[in-house]
Each structure stands twice: as structure tokens, then as C-alpha cells.
């Protein structure tokens, strides 16, 4: 199966339309030897119409690496659940995950839960980072979450810049009674554009350089 080997049913992926550079969240619905079925991309709750023959790029990641491939759309099914079926992949790429440096830092974040169609549901909540890396974030908040929840997260890096990612809750615990915020949450990024990850890595690098200059690291 080649590039399909790391994929699993229900795994989050992103679908990019190379011509427009539009990017949509999706998930794996089914995998065969020569084709893959994904949840149809949605925009503001509406199905994005794609014609047979449309070339798309699919991006996903696991704990070992980030992957991408291009494929030609075979068909689009608008029945429930709406799906798209892609043909065999080409232009396969695999980028080994780096051992991301983790930095203790307090930054504002906003987040919302997403449903099985990767659309935000309910209210948007806020929190404060405990530490941050290119692969995930630990943060404190007053929002009751649980292991496996998928969050749409924005980390405010500076007054003029922020980084966005989709992540899975991999750790959740209550803080001591005297803490300002009730819970600590460990989030692993499951879908993040490399440009967004690079923002985080650059922020951490600059902070470390500043700490070294002050003799604090």
C-alpha cells in the first residue's frame, strides 16, 4: 500500500487543492490497495464540490513522520456520509519528525472542540500554556475535557502572530485546589501545516536565545 501504510480509518488528514491552495480537514473512511475514501471536505458546513479528475494533495502525520501525496479524485458521493474517493498516490513525501525542543512558557491560547466532521462545536474557550513544542502543547484551563478529544487550537505567540493546529488530548489531570486554573491538558498536534509548526519552532528558538543572553538557560 505504500504511502497508505501509516494511515488508519478515522485518522485526521488535510486535503489541499494545489491550484487554489485551499486546505480542508477530513478523515479516512476506508482504505483499499489502490484507492482511499475520505470524508468530503466541508466549507462553512457545506460540501465542497470536486469534479472527477481533480488533483488533490493529502497530508497527515503520526508519531514518526509527516506524510503527503497527490492523487486524482475518482468520484464524490453526496449521500450520508458524504465522501470522496481518490486513486493511487504519487509524488509521495515523508518527513521524519524532529525531536522537538519543549519550552516552558506562558502564552494565551483559544480552543474549541471539533466533531467527527472536524467542524468546531460549542463555545470557544481560553487557557494558558505550560510548555510548548513543535509537536504539541501542555496548557492549563478551566474547561473539562477528556482523553481523545480533538481540539482546534490557536496559540498566541506574539501580539502580531499566532499558530493554529488540530490536536488530540493525550493527557488530562486536575490541578491542586489553590491553582488559578482547574485542569492541565496535554495536546498532541495531529494536523498542523508545516508553516504553522515553523512559527512555533522559530518562537522557541528566539526565546531560548534570549534566555541564554540573560544567563537564564
Amino acid at each position: 500500500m505504500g504511502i497508505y501504510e501509516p494511515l488508519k480509518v478515522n485518522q485526521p488528514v488535510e486535503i489541499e487543492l494545489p491550484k487554489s491552495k485551499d486546505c480542508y480537514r477530513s478523515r479516512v473512511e476506508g482504505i483499499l490497495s489502490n484507492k482511499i475514501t475520505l470524508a468530503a471536505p466541508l466549507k462553512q458546513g457545506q460540501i465542497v464540490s470536486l469534479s472527477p479528475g481533480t488533483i488533490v494533495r493529502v497530508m497527515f502525520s503520526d508519531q514518526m513522520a509527516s506524510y503527503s501525496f497527490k492523487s486524482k479524485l475518482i468520484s464524490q458521493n453526496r449521500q450520508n456520509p458524504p465522501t470522496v474517493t481518490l486513486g493511487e498516490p504519487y509524488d509521495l513525501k515523508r518527513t521524519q519528525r524532529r525531536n522537538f525542543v519543549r519550552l516552558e512558557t506562558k502564552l494565551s491560547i483559544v480552543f474549541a472542540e471539533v466533531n467527527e466532521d472536524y467542524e468546531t462545536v460549542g463555545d470557544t474557550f481560553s487557557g494558558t500554556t505550560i510548555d510548548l513544542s513543535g509537536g504539541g502543547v501542555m496548557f492549563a484551563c478551566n474547561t473539562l475535557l477528556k482523553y481523545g478529544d480533538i481540539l482546534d487550537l490557536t496559540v498566541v505567540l506574539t501580539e502580531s502572530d499566532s499558530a493554529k493546529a488540530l490536536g488530540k488530548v493525550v493527557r488530562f489531570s486536575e490541578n491542586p485546589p489553590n491553582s488559578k486554573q482547574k485542569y492541565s491538558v496535554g495536546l498532541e498536534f495531529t494536523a498542523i501545516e508545516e508553516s504553522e509548526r515553523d512559527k512555533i519552532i522559530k518562537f522557541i528558538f528566539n526565546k531560548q536565545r534570549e534566555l541564554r543572553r540573560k544567563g537564564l538557560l
Side-chain angles (χ1 to χ4, degrees):
M1 287 191 296
I3 194 69
Y4 294 160
E5 288 179 1
L7 279 175
K8 298 177 182 178
V9 173
N10 290 326
Q11 180 173 357
V13 299
E14 291 189 337
I15 301 174
E16 182 185 71
L17 306 181
K19 285 188 177 181
S20 64
K21 295 297 182 182
D22 290 336
C23 196
Y24 304 95
R25 290 169 181 158
S26 179
R27 68 177 181 277
V28 179
E29 296 285 357
I31 304 171
L32 296 176
S33 59
N34 61 347
K35 61 184 179 181
I36 179 173
T37 302
L38 305 177
L42 301 175
K43 185 174 184 179
Q44 296 180 342
Q46 301 298 313
I47 299 172
V48 177
S49 295
L50 298 174
S51 303
T54 299
I55 302 300
V56 301
R57 185 162 73 107
V58 177
M59 299 169 286
F60 62 99
S61 62
D62 59 21
Q63 293 183 345
M64 299 301 295
S66 296
Y67 309 85
S68 71
F69 63 85
K70 290 183 180 179
S71 184
K72 184 180 292 187
L73 187 138
I74 298 175
S75 62
Q76 183 170 27
N77 169 36
R78 289 180 169 270
Q79 302 302 314
N80 192 21
T83 59
V84 293
T85 300
L86 306 180
E88 293 191 47
Y90 65 94
D91 194 17
L92 315 179
K93 294 180 180 179
R94 181 180 188 274
T95 303
Q96 190 73 26
R97 278 192 181 275
R98 292 160 282 190
N99 291 321
F100 296 116
V101 174
R102 188 171 291 273
L103 177 72
E104 291 187 8
T105 183
K106 291 185 178 181
L107 301 169
S108 296
I109 64 166
V110 292
F111 62 91
E113 291 189 58
V114 299
N115 60 20
E116 60 182 10
D117 294 318
Y118 297 96
E119 298 176 302
T120 56
V121 293
D123 296 327
T124 297
F125 301 98
S126 62
T128 305
T129 64
I130 298 170
D131 57 48
L132 176 68
S133 79
V137 60
M138 177 72 75
F139 64 91
C141 67
N142 290 317
T143 307
L144 182 62
L145 299 168
K146 63 181 183 298
Y147 180 88
D149 283 346
I150 304 298
L151 306 181
D152 188 340
L153 178 87
T154 299
V155 183
V156 181
L157 300 173
T158 66
E159 291 183 358
S160 59
D161 201 10
S162 60
K164 299 178 182 294
L166 196 70
K168 176 183 177 181
V169 174
V170 295
R171 188 185 308 168
F172 185 82
S173 61
E174 290 190 26
N175 290 330
N178 59 346
S179 301
K180 290 183 178 180
Q181 292 170 306
K182 294 181 180 180
Y183 308 109
S184 289
V185 183
L187 192 81
E188 177 185 301
F189 298 148
T190 56
I192 180 172
E193 294 185 20
E194 286 306 308
S195 59
E196 298 297 288
R197 197 194 308 275
D198 287 343
K199 288 181 186 179
I200 294 173
I201 293 171
K202 182 179 179 181
F203 171 83
I204 292 172
F205 175 80
N206 289 338
K207 282 295 182 182
Q208 287 182 319
R209 184 172 56 185
E210 181 181 332
L211 290 172
R212 289 192 188 96
R213 188 168 58 244
K214 294 179 178 178
L216 301 175
L217 188 65

